[in-house]
Amino acid sequence: MTQPSTSRYRAAALDVAMRRTDRSSYNERMSVLIWAMLAVVFVTLVVSTVFGAGTEPTRMAVVPLAIVAVGLVALVVLEFIKLITGAAR
């Protein structure tokens, strides 16, 4: 089984950022979004472990991460809508 090239996922990340669908597949774009959400969750867990849950430094770090997570979820929903309407390839 061959490993997909990273340039395909780089193109998929750029397509997600620019809201394009012509250079990457739906699966590649969704993989990029899912890995980005997992990275946000991992960073949030690390921050809360290091600083302690419920402390002010944790809140200061987690609120921007939550905003990023909401943006990623919105992008996932938009990709799914494009798939349903037939705009995604």
Side-chain angles (χ1 to χ4, degrees):
M1 183 171 171
T2 60
Q3 197 70 347
S5 110
T6 58
S7 63
R8 288 175 48 202
Y9 290 103
R10 188 176 301 130
L14 290 172
D15 284 351
V16 167
M18 294 187 299
R19 307 297 310 136
R20 296 175 61 171
T21 59
D22 56 344
R23 294 182 299 179
S24 61
S25 70
Y26 173 77
N27 288 336
E28 291 167 345
R29 290 189 304 276
M30 287 303 281
S31 292
V32 166
L33 289 170
I34 289 169
W35 279 108
M37 286 190 294
L38 287 172
V40 167
V41 168
F42 179 74
V43 169
T44 303
L45 288 173
V46 168
V47 166
S48 66
T49 300
V50 169
F51 293 111
T55 61
E56 192 61 31
T58 301
R59 279 192 219 113
M60 289 179 358
V62 169
V63 169
L65 287 171
I67 293 169
V68 169
V70 168
L72 289 170
V73 168
L75 289 173
V76 168
V77 169
L78 289 173
E79 284 292 329
F80 188 68
I81 289 171
K82 286 189 332 191
L83 178 69
I84 292 173
T85 60
R89 67 173 195 120

